[in-house]
Amino acid sequence: MRIVLLVAIAAVLAPAALAAPPPHVRLAAAGVVGTGFHARERVTLTVRAGAEHWTKAVVTNAAGAFTARVAVTVASGGCQGVSVLAVGARGERAAWKAPPRPCGNPIAP
């Protein structure tokens, strides 16, 4: 009876332990870096910085990861915040956002 119970518990817990981490995306020096998508999946990237935006479709590698170059003017963001959205063909979503940097002259005391 104990063996049956242990096998039943293992059958329930095993899929949860093997579940892949959720997709993740970030803006790095190399461009937009994403992980956790399905292998060879088409992912649509949208990068926004102020009024500018940049969209590109990429295909992940066998590990479900990608790196995509970003246009310099959009990536810099200036005084605006920068946001990145990656949406996989199967509906998985990953987002990253950097807050706006302070702009203009600092207020003197």
Side-chain angles (χ1 to χ4, degrees):
M1 183 66 170
R2 287 184 189 179
I3 293 174
V4 173
L5 181 61
L6 290 175
V7 170
I9 291 172
V12 170
L13 296 178
L18 297 175
H24 177 77
V25 68
R26 66 186 171 88
L27 191 61
V32 177
V33 178
T35 58
F37 289 90
H38 292 279
R40 310 278 189 254
E41 182 177 19
R42 182 181 172 96
V43 177
T44 302
L45 305 174
T46 303
V47 179
R48 295 186 187 276
E52 295 184 72
H53 74 279
W54 174 84
T55 303
K56 182 177 186 178
V58 297
V59 177
T60 63
N61 61 19
F66 65 85
T67 301
R69 288 273 187 208
V70 179
V72 175
T73 57
V74 173
S76 63
C79 298
Q80 307 294 324
V82 178
S83 65
V84 178
L85 176 65
V87 181
R90 298 180 186 189
E92 301 93 353
R93 299 170 72 90
W96 177 87
K97 190 174 185 179
R101 295 187 302 219
C103 291
N105 296 327
I107 299 174

